[in-house]
Amino acid sequence: MASDARFTRVSPFVIGVLLRALLLGALAYASAWLVLNTNYYATTLVVLICGGLVVADLGRVVTRADRSVERFLEALSAGALETPSRTAAGLGRLAGPFEDAVALLQTARRQRQQSNEYLQTLLDTVPAALLVIQADGEFALVNRAAVRLAGTAATATLLRVLGPAACAQLVSLAPGTHQILRLAGGAQVLASAAQFMLPGGAPQRLISLQRLAGELDAVELKAWDDMVRVLAHEMMNSLTPIASLSESLEGLLRGGHTEEVSGALEVISRRSQGLMRFVERYRKVAELPQATLQSVRLRDLLQGIEQLLRASYAAAGIEFHTSVVPPDLAARMDPDLIEQALINLLRNAADAVAGQPEPRIEIVCGEEEGQLRLDVLDNGRGLTESEREQIFVPFFTTKPGGSGVGLSLARRIALGHGGRLTVQAREPRGSAFTLLLPAARA
């Protein structure tokens, strides 16, 4: 209502223009009458001069109003949200709407600034250093951790801290992949890459650099604790009876108990061979070959696995299916290692569905956010939460006579490809092992 009231009043600017127009019209009429009806040439000249002055004054007033609006719009373009003076020529009527527009723009600017400050605060709480590699290959610091890593906010300092080798590796790091880098000072960081694109802009990559000291030490210590615990358990199971029997052999020999001595030696031999087999399993885990990447069609890979396991699954009454979406999906991987990982997962699934009604195993392959996803699904007995937490620990097994090597090897193969292997429970029963590998498209 207030805005409507402003526009129902006649502004001084309009009144001034109307008066000048009326005066100009009167002077024009007077000059025409003098020319046609009299010989007062001097008077006619004076009237014409007055008319010219009125025209000039009218142009001056209109021009002043135009310049006021122009200066206001230029100030808006420059980011200066200031309301023009109500006394500016020609703006008496427009000052109110201008004030409303400026108030809205100021509110929008404050909200945008608060949103930017909120997002920056969130980024600054992230312990990992965040960098952006722009389309032209330039680096930009994003959060406080990145500034701390560089020592200053200068990008040139960051490049010196990273070193040429790490910079080259970051530039070539594909979105969705991870890599451990060594900085110029010798420190190690875990680099992860993601890709984003601003509206109307070129794709850019977001890089996170997480220092491994501290976090990695804790994880490594826990891994060593688990490994030592398993090794100690397995070795003590073999060495305890060997030591006990060795101590009793001398007495048995002196007593002439040759049959008992023979039995004891057989036990020692059997347990020694078991210990050697355990050491061989440990060697397999420790000496996993380096992945040799090549382009592989997933349909071909799964068909080869189907041919390998079809007979044994059919004999066990296991229903087995595979699917690849899209059918021509291909990825860069080591086919031998990935095939071995899948075979280990499928053997584990076969053991899980043994004795279950209508046993079924399925491999589902597809893409997920630029990654290759392979799901090995079964409807077996499933795993408890405690078993899922330990299932990838070397030599841990839930099966009588199991080696506890297959799943840990599969996980190491996934990690060797820059991916990961996880397990989840299925409903109503069964397990889902998910193998995620980076850069699905070959």
Side-chain angles (χ1 to χ4, degrees):
M1 294 299 294
S3 177
D4 293 341
R6 284 197 299 263
F7 284 96
T8 57
R9 295 195 302 268
V10 180
S11 69
F13 172 75
V14 174
I15 294 174
V17 171
L18 289 175
L19 290 176
R20 289 174 175 83
L22 289 174
L23 179 58
L24 182 61
L27 291 173
Y29 176 79
S31 63
W33 187 86
L34 289 171
V35 170
L36 295 174
N37 299 295
T38 69
N39 294 323
Y40 301 146
Y41 301 112
T43 303
T44 302
L45 180 61
V46 171
V47 171
L48 291 174
I49 292 174
C50 290
L53 292 175
V54 172
V55 171
D57 184 57
L58 183 60
R60 178 185 62 83
V61 171
V62 174
T63 302
R64 284 179 58 192
D66 288 343
R67 288 178 179 173
S68 298
V69 174
E70 182 181 5
R71 284 195 295 270
F72 172 67
L73 295 177
E74 288 177 348
L76 288 181
S77 300
L81 299 181
E82 297 180 358
T83 306
S85 172
R86 284 181 174 269
T87 60
L91 293 186
R93 188 174 180 180
L94 297 176
F98 278 162
E99 289 174 354
D100 294 341
V102 168
L104 289 174
L105 291 173
Q106 289 174 338
T107 301
R109 172 182 285 183
R110 283 194 300 270
Q111 291 175 345
R112 184 170 62 252
Q113 184 175 0
Q114 291 171 354
S115 177
N116 290 339
E117 291 175 353
Y118 174 73
L119 292 176
Q120 187 61 50
T121 301
L122 286 181
L123 291 173
D124 286 340
T125 61
V126 176
L130 299 179
L131 317 173
V132 168
I133 301 181
Q134 299 169 349
D136 57 2
E138 293 293 324
F139 287 74
L141 308 181
V142 174
N143 65 343
R144 189 174 299 161
V147 176
R148 285 198 300 267
L149 177 65
T152 67
T155 305
T157 306
L158 172 68
L159 299 180
R160 289 196 297 271
V161 171
L162 294 176
C167 287
Q169 289 173 306
L170 285 179
V171 170
S172 61
L173 191 62
T177 59
H178 315 276
Q179 187 174 354
I180 295 178
L181 307 180
R182 185 174 296 277
L183 304 184
Q188 286 186 313
V189 295
L190 175 63
S192 304
Q195 184 169 286
F196 68 97
M197 185 169 60
L198 298 176
Q204 302 181 62
R205 278 178 296 156
L206 177 65
I207 305 292
S208 70
L209 299 177
Q210 179 69 51
R211 287 187 178 274
L212 296 181
E215 290 85 352
L216 183 60
D217 291 343
V219 173
E220 186 177 1
L221 180 61
K222 177 65 167 57
W224 275 110
D225 286 342
D226 292 340
M227 179 66 75
V228 170
R229 175 175 54 80
V230 173
L231 287 174
H233 179 267
E234 292 289 333
M235 295 182 71
M236 288 300 295
N237 284 346
S238 295
L239 292 177
T240 299
I242 291 176
S244 176
L245 288 173
S246 298
E247 291 175 358
S248 63
L249 277 179
E250 183 178 358
L252 292 174
L253 287 172
R254 288 177 179 176
H257 303 287
T258 56
E259 292 184 3
E260 294 183 13
V261 170
S262 176
L265 290 174
E266 181 182 352
V267 171
I268 291 175
S269 174
R270 186 171 65 251
R271 296 308 302 167
S272 298
Q273 292 174 4
L275 185 58
M276 289 297 295
R277 287 193 296 270
F278 170 77
V279 173
E280 178 64 19
R281 296 201 309 268
Y282 175 78
R283 184 186 64 81
K284 289 181 179 178
V285 174
E287 297 180 359
L288 188 68
Q290 184 74 22
T292 302
L293 303 183
Q294 63 186 72
S295 179
V296 177
R297 291 183 73 250
L298 273 300
R299 182 70 269 172
D300 296 340
L301 179 70
L302 296 188
Q303 284 178 348
I305 294 176
E306 284 186 82
Q307 293 174 355
L308 183 65
L309 299 177
R310 183 185 298 120
S312 61
Y313 277 7
I318 298 174
E319 184 180 353
F320 182 49
H321 297 282
T322 64
S323 63
V324 179
V325 179
D328 62 343
L329 180 61
R332 289 186 59 77
M333 63 176 68
D334 188 314
D336 295 331
L337 289 179
I338 295 299
E339 183 180 65
Q340 184 61 56
L342 290 175
I343 289 174
N344 289 352
L345 293 174
L346 291 169
R347 286 176 176 169
N348 179 78
D351 291 333
V353 301
Q356 299 294 320
E358 299 180 356
R360 176 186 175 89
I361 298 174
E362 184 177 5
I363 300 180
V364 179
C365 181
E367 290 179 291
E368 181 180 278
E369 298 180 355
Q371 292 184 305
L372 174 68
R373 175 169 179 151
L374 286 155
D375 290 306
V376 178
L377 313 173
D378 69 69
N379 62 348
R381 68 172 187 86
L383 298 168
T384 66
E385 183 177 353
S386 175
E387 289 172 341
R388 288 197 299 271
E389 291 177 353
Q390 303 181 72
I391 196 67
F392 298 117
V393 175
F395 314 117
F396 174 83
T397 180
T398 61
K399 298 172 293 187
S403 66
V405 171
L407 294 180
S408 63
L409 277 176
R411 183 171 181 270
R412 285 203 61 193
I413 290 171
L415 294 175
H417 282 73
R420 64 182 187 274
L421 177 63
T422 61
V423 61
Q424 291 182 329
R426 297 185 70 199
E427 295 295 339
R429 69 178 190 273
S431 300
F433 285 83
T434 299
L435 177 62
L436 286 173
L437 301 177
R441 286 290 181 182

